[in-house]
Amino acid sequence: MRLLANLFGKSPPVFKKPRGSRKEWSTLQVGEWLKEIGLGEYKENFVSNFITGELLAKLTKDDMKDLGVEKVGHRLMLTSAIQKKISEEAN
């Protein structure tokens, strides 16, 4: 921990769980959400490709493939989780 404190000048950054509107999520919050829904293996790909919460709703099947989500089941899980999040926010 001391090494991390030296690298960052104080405490290391803390990544909070995504809260609030999906449209306002940063790329790091999207990555944390992916971990929460069991698809954390794609976190780095989404973060490095600047996928924010607002962009989640616009992802196509081809976009998901480009992001490394090759397994059909994972694409279906991701699509379902995005739709669920959008539906929750609409209510």
Side-chain angles (χ1 to χ4, degrees):
M1 188 65 112
R2 179 176 284 162
L3 175 62
L4 288 176
N6 289 338
L7 289 173
F8 292 103
K10 52 181 178 180
S11 300
V14 176
F15 301 108
K16 297 181 180 179
K17 288 186 176 186
R19 298 185 194 278
S21 173
R22 167 202 44 87
K23 291 180 182 181
E24 297 174 6
W25 288 354
S26 69
T27 58
L28 292 176
Q29 288 172 304
V30 168
E32 289 303 309
W33 176 75
L34 287 169
K35 286 173 38 178
E36 286 181 12
I37 64 169
L39 297 172
E41 65 197 80
Y42 304 110
K43 177 181 177 176
E44 285 187 36
N45 292 356
F46 277 64
V47 171
S48 66
N49 282 281
F50 305 103
I51 304 300
T52 62
E54 186 171 0
L55 294 176
L56 281 176
K58 299 176 182 180
L59 291 177
T60 66
K61 178 177 75 169
D62 288 334
D63 293 332
M64 290 181 196
K65 286 181 179 180
D66 290 344
L67 289 164
V69 186
E70 293 294 329
K71 296 177 182 172
V72 174
H74 285 183
R75 287 196 303 272
L76 292 171
M77 287 172 59
L78 182 56
T79 300
S80 177
I82 292 169
Q83 290 172 346
K84 180 180 177 188
K85 190 66 181 163
I86 292 169
S87 176
E88 289 172 354
E89 289 177 348
N91 295 327

